């Protein structure tokens, strides 16, 4: 932890400059670990604005620039904690801003500016601490110069440099500091010296989010900004045949009706007029010859594919031969639906195009691809596209689209309208508008040896690829296998630990747009794997916890989470009458999460009373933030497990709003207890890893309660 | 049309059937009240109409004539609203925050009618307000906390 970071290894490129009376600290780190790259983003996009992670004003105010987007996960607080510790900052003087879209803010591991993969805290752990440490070193040198004493005689505390009884606040030092030479090495603090890291810290964005002043994309308003709604194809992939907009143009408040590649946009003074104008459009779509998805037909097709050989994603030994040695064989098919992210804030994006370039105000998780897409549409250089990232009213993956769908469309609308326009989506647009978690069917046949351990494991997955057709295809699809389709299965410790195993994938082509949904492939594979393991435990008449412990004996981090959850839940101890337990453990995004759910089933209705969560995410920078993300994951995953489903009939999405796309509500929220494994292992994420184990913990408890194995989500009416 | 928003009479150029939500957001320019579903399913748009919690996305402005519309922007001047907001901060409820204006308006209305709600009362009063970040457990705790502080 006490890293000495030297110039040759990390290559600080530091520039300091006085900006608005303050010190700007900036540096970049070579993209050594880059695995995603959009046309060498760093080289292609020169810096449009001051390259900075923090600014100190003459008024002592410390502004932390966030390279990532705040969408509820708490990075607005976590990243400043990293800087505050190294800088010895006064926490009360910190303000936070979203950084612009610029190469300086490119993800240290992913090579583009992105908030995703539950990666912000671990990927910024060094960079933000270094920014703080570098700035503190400059403050010390500045004070040493001012007082004409050696740096070794000085210390820093709470936003000031101290020499004996004298104090210089950081704000008083910025002018001298800005003229100093760059330090070539930085010594980071040891964990014992941390005041913020590892301590439960209250959110910095709380006040503005409870008094109505926080600005989301939806709240962007300025003189001349109009509101647009787009009428899109009712069946994905179909094109507009004709439009009669005469009635729409007569709606009071409607300004213009324009065609855009995705449909017809009604531009109006406000939402209400845009909505009424859109309803007045008479549109016909060319549906002939188009794929019209139908859920029942899709399921049949997927089920057939699941019995056939696909592309090989993992293999060891000889499954066919070993299967013949099995003492017992379990075969099961699991079905998971398309899911909508349904963030509380429907999608929106405000665009102003001028002679100089284009400005975009939106809540996005992927600034680089949005910027590139807007530039391409307008014939601009990426640096001419300025992105003002707003608070995201939820993301869950929907606002990280490699195809930049909602931003591209909004740019097209503003371009066609010749006006600054905020394109807004209704909830119906959101539910029907695609980019779903793909539907998946898994089929597994597992042969057990005489101890009941898996001897041969054949596993076939069927579903659409999230990555195919995106700029990431070249990096994330290997030999035809989209890693996000098979993650959690192909790399499962259960599968890998089975001497003879084979994982196959069928990637289905479809016009239904799909995207990563909180926990991506693990959102289906975690359910399937932890359900299957429960099936195997019961088939071999073993306790589900003991069975997992045996199979995971070489996986200490799985075990630590599993044991902590079981212990805190009182596994094996009596429960109130009618209440049953289920357990699950799953690793994703570098973190290990186990959950024990306490469930009762009455008249076919499932009630989840309590969920005990244990997580090993390595160092928990903000333990209360970790807890909040676990609570959030339980809620998000439980709503999906109980009742969420996107289905298709005659090509159209059946659901339209929260009455038929049901998500968790207060009355169904269980008591959630979160326990963090004390760990100094490699850091993982916390936004997503709490999602995968929830559904199987619940359905395993349902099995304990009723003897019925739930192999299809949502649970819905299956128990009635 | 004359509307009273947070005790202030405001003349807005809107049609009778425009939902209160869009009149206060897009015409009056007060964006604290949020749009979530447009059909009274999620509660993000909750405001008080003469003290009663309503879904402003389906209530036309014509229904507000002669009445007072109270929004999140006025909660800091309301004794119960203050207690709710303080409890929200103490428990650190928010995540993305988008639904929280509506949650706070519903919670404040609940506590005005029922100063000491049980968990079941909270479930009944708050189940019309969706939070996709799943802050429900903390909302429940914060409502109890505000009730205790107000007692």
């Amino acid at each position: 932890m006490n890293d000495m970071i030297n110039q040759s290894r990390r290559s600080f490129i530091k520039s300091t400059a006085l900006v608005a009376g303050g010190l700007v600290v900036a540096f970049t780190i070579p993209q050594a670990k880059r695995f995603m790259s959009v046309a060498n983003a760093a080289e292609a996009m020169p810096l449009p604005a001051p390259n900075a992670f923090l600014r100190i004003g003459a008024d002592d105010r410390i502004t932390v620039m966030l390279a990532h987007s705040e969408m509820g996960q708490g990075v607005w607080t976590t990243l400043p904690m990293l800087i505050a510790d190294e800088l010895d900052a006064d926490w009360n003087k910190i303000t936070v801003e979203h950084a612009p879209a610029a190469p300086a803010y490119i993800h240290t591991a992913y090579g583009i500016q992105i908030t995703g993969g539950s990666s912000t805290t671990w990927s910024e752990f060094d960079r933000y601490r270094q920014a703080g440490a570098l700035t503190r070193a400059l403050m010390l040198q500045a004070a040493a110069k001012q007082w004409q004493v050696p740096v070794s005689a000085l210390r820093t505390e709470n936003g000031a440099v101290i020499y004996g009884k004298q104090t210089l606040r950081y704000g008083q030092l910025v002018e001298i500091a800005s003229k100093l030479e760059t330090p070539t090495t930085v010594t980071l603090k040891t964990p014992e010296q941390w005041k913020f890291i590892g301590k439960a810290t209250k959110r910095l964005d709380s006040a503005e989010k409870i008094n109505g002043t926080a600005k989301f994309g939806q709240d962007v308003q300025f003189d001349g900004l109009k509101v647009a709604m787009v009428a899109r194809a009712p069946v994905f992939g179909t094109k507009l045949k004709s439009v009669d907009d005469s009635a729409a143009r007569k709606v009071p408040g409607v300004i213009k009706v324009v065609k855009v590649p995705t449909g017809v946009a009604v531009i109006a003074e406000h939402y209400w007029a845009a909505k009424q104008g859109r309803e007045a459009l008479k549109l016909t779509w060319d549906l002939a010859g188009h794929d019209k998805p139908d859920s029942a037909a899709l399921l049949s097709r997927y089920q057939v594919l699941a019995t056939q050989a696909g592309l090989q994603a993992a293999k060891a030994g000889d499954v066919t031969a070993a299967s013949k040695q099995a003492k017992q064989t379990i075969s099961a098919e699991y079905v998971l639906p398309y899911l909508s992210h349904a963030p509380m804030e429907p999608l929106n994006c405000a665009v102003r195009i001028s002679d100089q370039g284009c400005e975009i105000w939106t809540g996005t998780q992927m600034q680089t691809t949005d910027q590139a897409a807007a530039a391409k549409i307008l014939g601009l250089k990426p640096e001419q596209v300025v992105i003002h990232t707003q608070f995201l009213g939820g993301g869950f993956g929907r606002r990280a689209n490699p195809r930049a769908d909602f931003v591209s469309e909004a740019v097209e609308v503003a371009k066609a309208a010749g006006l600054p326009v905020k394109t807004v989506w209704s909830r119906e647009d959101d539910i029907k508008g695609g980019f779903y978690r793909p539907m998946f069917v898994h089929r597994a046949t597992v042969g057990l040896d005489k101890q009941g351990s898996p001897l041969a494991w054949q596993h076939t997955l069927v579903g659409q690829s999230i990555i195919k057709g995106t700029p990431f295809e070249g990096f994330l699809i290997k030999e035809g296998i989209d890693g996000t389709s098979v993650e959690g299965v192909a790399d499962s410790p259960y599968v890998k630990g089975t001497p003879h195993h084979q994982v196959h994938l069928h990637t289905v082509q479809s016009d239904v747009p799909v995207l990563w949904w909180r926990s991506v492939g693990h959102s289906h594979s975690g359910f399937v794997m932890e359900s299957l393991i429960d099936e195997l435990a019961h088939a071999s008449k073993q306790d589900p916890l003991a069975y997992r412990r045996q199979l995971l004996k070489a996986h200490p981090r799985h075990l630590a989470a599993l044991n902590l959850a079981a212990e805190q839940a009182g596994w094996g101890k009596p429960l109130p009458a009618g209440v049953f337990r289920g357990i699950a453990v799953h690793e994703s995004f570098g973190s290990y999460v186990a959950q024990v759910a306490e469930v009762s089933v009455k008249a076919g209705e499932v009630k989840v009373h309590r969920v005990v969560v244990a997580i090993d995410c390595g160092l928990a920078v903000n333990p209360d933030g970790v807890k909040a993300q676990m609570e959030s994951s339980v809620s998000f995953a439980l709503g999906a497990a109980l009742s969420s489903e996107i289905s298709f009939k005659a090509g159209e999405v059946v659901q339209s709003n929260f009455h038929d796309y049901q998500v968790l509500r207060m009355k169904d929220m269980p008591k959630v207890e979160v326990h963090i494994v004390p760990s100094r292992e490699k850091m993982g994420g916390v936004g997503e890893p709490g999602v995968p184990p929830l559904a199987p913990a619940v359905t395993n408890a349902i099995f304990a309660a009723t003897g019925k194995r739930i192999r299809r989500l949502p649970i819905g009416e299956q128990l009635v | 049309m004359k509307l009273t928003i947070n005790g202030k009479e405001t003349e807005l150029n809107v049609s009778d059937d425009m939902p209160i939500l869009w009149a206060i957001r897009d015409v009056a320019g007060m964006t604290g009240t949020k749009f979530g579903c447009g059909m009274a399913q999620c509660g993000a748009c909750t405001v008080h109409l003469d003290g009663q919690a309503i879904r402003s996305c389906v209530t036309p402005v014509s229904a507000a004539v002669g009445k007072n519309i109270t929004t999140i922007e006025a909660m800091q001047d309301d004794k119960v609203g203050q207690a709710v907001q303080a409890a929200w901060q103490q428990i650190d409820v928010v995540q993305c925050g988008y639904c929280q204006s509506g949650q706070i308006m519903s919670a404040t209305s609940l506590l005005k009618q029922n100063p000491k709600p049980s968990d079941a009362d909270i479930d009944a009063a708050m189940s019309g307000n969706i939070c996709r970040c799943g802050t429900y457990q903390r909302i429940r705790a914060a409502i109890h906390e505000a009730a205790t502080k107000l007692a």
Side-chain angles (χ1 to χ4, degrees), chain A residues 307-506:
Chain A
T307 63
Q308 299 169 356
L311 284 180
Q312 191 168 284
K315 187 181 189 299
D318 184 341
V319 170
T320 315
S323 299
K324 292 181 186 131
Q325 313 298 317
K327 297 293 169 226
Q328 204 185 158
T329 301
I330 287 89
S331 259
E333 177 198 86
Y334 281 81
V335 178
L336 293 103
Y338 286 107
L339 290 171
S340 172
H341 306 75
M344 281 314 296
E345 180 193 16
L347 297 169
N348 57 76
C349 178
V351 179
R352 179 165 62 195
I353 302 163
S354 69
D355 295 342
Q356 287 76 43
C358 168
E359 278 182 285
I360 292 172
W361 292 259
T362 192
T364 175
Q365 294 174 245
M366 212 186 267
Q367 285 83 355
T368 304
T369 46
D370 291 338
Q371 190 182 41
K376 194 172 172 206
I377 291 165
L378 298 171
L380 297 170
K381 292 176 184 155
E383 64 268 26
Q384 289 175 283
V385 177
V386 176
I387 297 185
H388 305 279
T389 301
Q390 308 295 304
F391 278 127
L392 281 63
F396 316 120
R398 180 62 183 92
R399 290 182 152 93
N401 194 342
R403 298 170 187 84
D405 73 312
F406 63 94
V407 171
S408 299
E409 182 185 69
V411 171
E412 294 280 8
V413 170
K415 184 183 166 192
L419 292 166
V421 181
K422 177 169 64 175
T423 298
V424 297
W425 294 47
S426 67
R427 177 58 59 193
E428 289 78 9
D429 295 341
D430 171 66
I431 299 291
K432 290 186 176 292
F435 293 101
Y436 305 119
R437 193 286 300 274
M439 172 185 172
F440 260 86
V441 168
H442 291 231
R443 185 164 188 89
T445 301
V446 186
L448 302 179
D449 64 18
K450 60 179 186 294
Q451 282 82 38
S453 296
L455 177 67
W457 192 309
Q458 166 68 47
H459 199 122
T460 305
L461 301 94
V462 185
Q464 285 173 249
S465 165
I466 292 167
I467 302 298
K468 203 168 167 35
T470 75
F472 304 152
E473 192 171 324
F475 304 89
L476 295 177
I477 298 185
K478 300 258 154 60
E479 288 166 15
I481 304 280
D482 177 345
T484 73
S485 293
V486 296
E487 61 187 2
V489 177
D491 55 352
S492 157
Y494 302 126
V495 170
K496 291 271 184 205
T498 303
H500 308 276
H501 66 256
Q502 191 162 269
V503 177
H504 279 188
L505 171 69
H506 293 273

Side-chain angles (χ1 to χ4, degrees), chain A residues 415-639:
Chain A
K415 184 183 166 192
L419 292 166
V421 181
K422 177 169 64 175
T423 298
V424 297
W425 294 47
S426 67
R427 177 58 59 193
E428 289 78 9
D429 295 341
D430 171 66
I431 299 291
K432 290 186 176 292
F435 293 101
Y436 305 119
R437 193 286 300 274
M439 172 185 172
F440 260 86
V441 168
H442 291 231
R443 185 164 188 89
T445 301
V446 186
L448 302 179
D449 64 18
K450 60 179 186 294
Q451 282 82 38
S453 296
L455 177 67
W457 192 309
Q458 166 68 47
H459 199 122
T460 305
L461 301 94
V462 185
Q464 285 173 249
S465 165
I466 292 167
I467 302 298
K468 203 168 167 35
T470 75
F472 304 152
E473 192 171 324
F475 304 89
L476 295 177
I477 298 185
K478 300 258 154 60
E479 288 166 15
I481 304 280
D482 177 345
T484 73
S485 293
V486 296
E487 61 187 2
V489 177
D491 55 352
S492 157
Y494 302 126
V495 170
K496 291 271 184 205
T498 303
H500 308 276
H501 66 256
Q502 191 162 269
V503 177
H504 279 188
L505 171 69
H506 293 273
T507 298
V508 178
Q509 306 296 323
S510 168
D511 282 335
V512 178
V514 294
L515 195 54
W516 23 58
W517 180 95
R518 197 174 188 174
S519 80
V520 198
H522 298 281
S523 70
H524 51 92
S525 65
F527 170 64
V528 174
M529 292 308 299
E530 282 300 307
S531 298
L532 277 170
I533 287 299
D534 221 62
E535 293 205 43
L536 304 182
H538 286 284
S540 59
K541 301 192 168 44
Q542 296 184 52
D543 171 71
L545 171 62
Y547 189 73
R548 285 177 172 80
R549 280 179 176 157
Q550 171 63 23
L551 295 183
L552 296 169
K553 59 179 187 257
H555 299 272
R557 298 186 74 182
H558 285 83
L559 277 182
L562 189 65
N563 288 334
L564 182 58
E567 180 197 320
Q568 294 292 337
W571 186 265
K573 292 188 182 146
L575 282 162
V579 179
F580 295 84
R581 285 191 190 97
I583 194 165
V585 60
H586 192 82
E587 181 271 328
S588 60
F589 307 93
S591 288
Y592 302 73
V593 181
Q595 294 176 357
V596 176
E598 294 177 7
V599 175
S600 62
V601 183
K602 260 188 216 145
E605 189 138 334
V606 177
K607 176 83 187 161
V608 182
H609 303 274
R610 178 183 179 225
V611 177
V612 177
V613 183
I615 175 169
D616 175 1
C617 57
L619 171 72
V621 171
N622 184 359
D624 196 52
V626 174
K627 286 182 180 176
Q629 284 312 295
M630 293 302 107
E631 294 163 15
S632 174
S633 299
V634 166
S635 171
F636 194 82
L638 182 56

Side-chain angles (χ1 to χ4, degrees), chain A residues 70-73 201-203 205-207 209-216 218-221 227 269-273 275-276 340-346 391-394 396 422 425-428 517-518 607 624-625 627-629 631-633 635-636 644 656-661 663-673, chain B residues 13-19 21-44 57 72-76 84-101 103-104 119 122-140 143:
Chain A
E70 174 58 53
M71 52 187 179
Q73 83 282 40
T201 304
K202 289 227 162 76
R203 298 181 66 109
D205 55 353
S206 188
K209 286 180 173 177
I210 60 179
N211 66 20
T213 58
K215 288 282 177 268
F216 297 85
Q218 191 80 256
D219 302 328
V220 170
Q221 295 180 338
V227 174
E269 293 294 343
H270 44 66
Y271 182 96
W272 189 240
K275 179 174 184 285
Q276 289 182 313
S340 172
H341 306 75
M344 281 314 296
E345 180 193 16
F391 278 127
L392 281 63
F396 316 120
K422 177 169 64 175
W425 294 47
S426 67
R427 177 58 59 193
E428 289 78 9
W517 180 95
R518 197 174 188 174
K607 176 83 187 161
D624 196 52
K627 286 182 180 176
Q629 284 312 295
E631 294 163 15
S632 174
S633 299
S635 171
F636 194 82
S644 307
S656 62
N657 204 314
F658 286 125
H659 65 292
D660 53 8
Y661 187 77
V663 299
L664 202 82
R665 292 174 181 272
M666 173 73 90
K667 65 183 172 54
D668 294 319
M669 182 71 189
K671 182 168 186 251
V672 181
E673 295 167 27
Chain B
N13 181 19
V14 297
S15 61
D16 282 10
D17 64 343
M18 182 187 276
L21 173 66
W22 298 114
I24 55 183
R25 277 186 62 86
D26 279 7
V27 185
M30 296 165 65
T31 57
T33 306
K34 302 303 184 200
F35 165 63
C37 71
M39 60 181 293
Q41 286 292 316
C42 80
C57 72
I72 187 70
E73 283 88 353
M75 283 302 98
Q76 59 206 28
V84 169
Q85 287 178 325
W88 244 248
Q89 271 206 277
Q90 189 191 321
I91 309 281
D92 228 12
V93 169
V94 310
Q95 291 190 25
C96 89
Y98 191 80
C99 74
Q100 297 297 345
S101 295
Q103 302 281 1
I104 285 167
D119 277 350
I122 293 172
D123 283 1
M126 301 299 294
S127 284
N129 286 77
I130 294 173
C131 172
R132 288 291 282 150
C133 301
T135 62
Y136 299 124
Q137 171 159 294
R138 292 184 189 222
I139 289 173
R140 212 179 264 155
I143 291 173

